[in-house]
Amino acid sequence: MARFHDLTVTDIKKTIRDAVVVTLRPENGAAADFDFTQGQYLTFRHDFDGEELRRSYSICAGKDDGVLQIGIKRVEGGAFSTWANEDLKIGDRLQAMPPMGGFFTELNSDNANHYLGFAGGSGITPVLSIIKTTLAREPKSSFTLVYANKGVNTIMFREEIEDLKNLYLGRFNVIHVLESDAQEIDLFTGLVTEEKCAQLFEHWIDIDSVDTAFICGPEPMMLGIASALRKAGLDDSQIKFELFASAQPGRLARKVVAKDAAKSANMTSAAITLDGATQTFDMPKDVTILDAALENAMDAPYACKAGVCSTCRCRVLEGEVEMVANHALEDYEVEKGYVLSCQSFPLTDRVIVDFDQ
Ligand SMILES: Cc1cc2nc3c(=O)[nH]c(=O)nc-3n(C[C@H](O)[C@H](O)[C@H](O)COP(=O)(O)OP(=O)(O)OC[C@H]3O[C@@H](n4cnc5c(N)ncnc54)[C@H](O)[C@@H]3O)c2cc1C
Ligand code: FES
């Protein structure tokens, strides 16, 4: 199975000084593979001076827009995002995996729901896709967006959001919260913290009517919002997250186990299924399932290797693993045995793992 597909860049637009919206066309009959669900992301790979980097970018288009579009904000000193903002041109070819991710809820035209979205900076990209698709496909539902940015000049998709407000009058409300630009209403200036959310729920947002909340932005902001939502009565199943990067420290480096310890207590017999084929091999217990699969020439999917994106998700069918970080999987997935293979170390002498489920 081809994991990466060629995509041609058909358009590039600056949405603000430091961010581009890139339109992509799948090549070689791969269009159906890129039929996405609102809120999903694409994982790209690109060679930088002989080193392959993989980065994920959320689709910002709605399902009914008829285009595949992503928004890339330049991160200071960032390799991929700087290249995309400065060097990428119309006509260039990129390579990406088909859409992935579970940052969405099922839509139904009979629903009359109230959705609440929180986006910080480039965190708007998946939220915009969700807003556009939901308002188009659920004519009785409404959406409130709280959008946090440094200042007016850094608001991605500002005009598009204004157009949506006009198109869906009465069903789409936006509250811009700006960190440094003063606004008429004091509450709309500063950072989106737990306290600010509590005040918004008191004066501006009817939190009791909210069915689902979507949050995407910097990690501390997301944690504050989630806490405020829980205190306001939402349960975890009503709160959906998408994290772009985690500031939490990664796992500590683990001691390397000598190869000749093959039969020792530090080894596990692993059976790993990928693309319908199963490989069995011995692996050290201090190597992740993902790295063991890659070392054994299996083309296992991955992107961040930091427990953030979920590209490397697999299911443990037998045995136990320890997942040392998880910023991506929801509780119900973990209960079903899904793990992030880039963060999972075998605990038992035998593990059976499936990447295809
Ligand atoms: C599921 C998922 C979806 C994503 N969707 C989008 C999207 O739609 N638009 C978008 O612009 N980005 C998105 N990202 C983030 C993106 O994948 C990259 O992490 C980001 O562009 C930085 O990559 P880089 O190669 O430019 O920087 P790197 O060279 O990897 O990093 C340079 C420096 O920036 C820091 N850094 C890395 N990522 C961020 C970040 N997001 N914010 C602030 N500092 C950071 C690093 O710690 C490092 O110090 C998404 C990430 C995930 C996991
Ligand atoms: S590769 Fe991103 S969570 Fe494992």
Side-chain angles (χ1 to χ4, degrees):
M1 191 178 87
R3 203 159 306 284
F4 282 91
H5 298 268
D6 284 343
L7 301 149
T8 300
V9 175
T10 58
D11 194 27
I12 303 182
K13 281 206 169 65
K14 283 245 169 247
T15 159
I16 49 171
R17 200 183 54 160
D18 273 346
V20 281
V21 178
V22 181
T23 309
L24 299 160
R25 184 183 64 222
E27 299 299 343
N28 310 317
D33 292 306
F34 286 85
D35 182 21
F36 61 92
T37 303
Q38 68 282 357
Q40 285 193 309
Y41 63 89
L42 303 179
T43 294
F44 296 84
R45 70 173 176 198
H46 188 74
D47 196 278
F48 290 88
D49 300 325
E51 193 196 337
E52 181 189 289
L53 286 189
R54 295 184 178 199
R55 295 288 183 270
S56 304
Y57 293 96
S58 301
I59 297 165
C60 54
K63 268 193 82 62
D64 302 302
D65 293 355
V67 286
L68 185 62
Q69 257 175 352
I70 51 164
I72 306 180
K73 179 144 185 217
R74 195 166 69 82
V75 167
E76 194 60 40
F80 196 107
S81 61
T82 303
W83 170 76
N85 272 271
E86 290 178 1
D87 297 326
L88 194 64
K89 297 181 301 299
I90 293 174
D92 282 355
R93 284 260 170 128
L94 293 176
Q95 287 200 311
M97 284 191 245
M100 288 186 181
F103 186 51
F104 59 83
T105 52
E106 295 296 328
L107 299 181
N108 183 324
S109 56
D110 292 333
N111 283 349
N113 288 343
H114 180 198
Y115 299 96
L116 178 57
F118 288 91
S122 59
I124 190 64
T125 47
V127 178
L128 185 62
S129 171
I130 294 168
I131 291 170
K132 289 202 271 189
T133 311
T134 306
L135 292 172
R137 296 201 171 191
E138 292 192 350
K140 288 179 271 187
S141 291
S142 61
F143 216 113
T144 302
L145 170 67
V146 179
Y147 189 8
N149 279 286
K150 284 222 159 56
V152 177
N153 294 342
T154 63
I155 302 177
M156 280 173 84
F157 303 108
R158 193 167 141 215
E159 280 173 24
E160 198 162 348
I161 287 169
E162 282 306 307
D163 291 347
L164 284 172
K165 266 168 62 180
N166 294 330
L167 184 63
Y168 295 110
L169 269 183
R171 290 210 291 134
F172 182 41
N173 295 307
V174 184
I175 297 173
H176 285 286
V177 179
L178 301 177
E179 193 182 326
S180 40
D181 288 358
Q183 302 201 70
E184 259 176 51
I185 297 161
D186 277 352
L187 187 56
F188 297 167
T189 303
L191 293 171
V192 178
T193 57
E194 184 175 340
E195 297 72 47
K196 193 175 289 292
C197 287
Q199 289 175 304
L200 288 171
F201 299 160
E202 214 173 298
H203 303 292
W204 293 92
I205 297 167
D206 176 14
I207 193 69
D208 294 333
S209 71
V210 170
D211 296 277
T212 305
F214 297 91
I215 318 175
C216 185
E219 198 174 22
M221 174 185 127
M222 290 174 70
L223 295 173
I225 295 166
S227 175
L229 288 169
R230 287 191 197 103
K231 284 186 185 158
L234 269 75
D235 64 48
D236 284 349
S237 67
Q238 294 174 282
I239 307 172
K240 307 279 293 175
F241 293 94
E242 185 77 313
L243 192 62
F244 283 180
S246 176
Q248 288 184 15
R251 63 190 158 76
L252 293 172
R254 289 176 171 232
K255 156 166 103 23
V256 177
V257 175
K259 279 227 162 39
D260 62 6
K263 298 276 182 301
S264 83
N266 291 327
M267 299 298 285
T268 291
S269 162
I272 299 186
T273 302
L274 179 72
D275 299 336
T278 303
Q279 275 198 46
T280 304
F281 47 79
D282 289 336
M283 61 173 284
K285 282 185 179 156
D286 62 355
V287 167
T288 63
I289 300 285
L290 175 68
D291 282 340
L294 296 174
E295 277 162 25
N296 282 275
M298 298 182 86
D299 184 22
Y302 72 91
C304 71
K305 282 198 172 181
V308 172
C309 71
S310 85
T311 309
C312 66
R313 189 181 92 143
C314 64
R315 193 170 188 180
V316 179
L317 303 180
E318 198 184 305
E320 266 183 61
V321 304
E322 184 193 9
M323 182 162 51
V324 294
N326 171 27
H327 305 291
L329 296 180
E330 298 204 24
D331 291 349
Y332 78 92
E333 294 175 286
V334 177
E335 275 158 28
K336 285 184 180 165
Y338 288 100
V339 295
L340 301 171
S341 61
C342 73
Q343 299 297 314
S344 296
F345 298 83
L347 287 176
T348 46
D349 291 343
R350 182 171 161 73
V351 289
I352 300 182
V353 166
D354 193 343
F355 277 89
D356 294 344
Q357 291 199 25

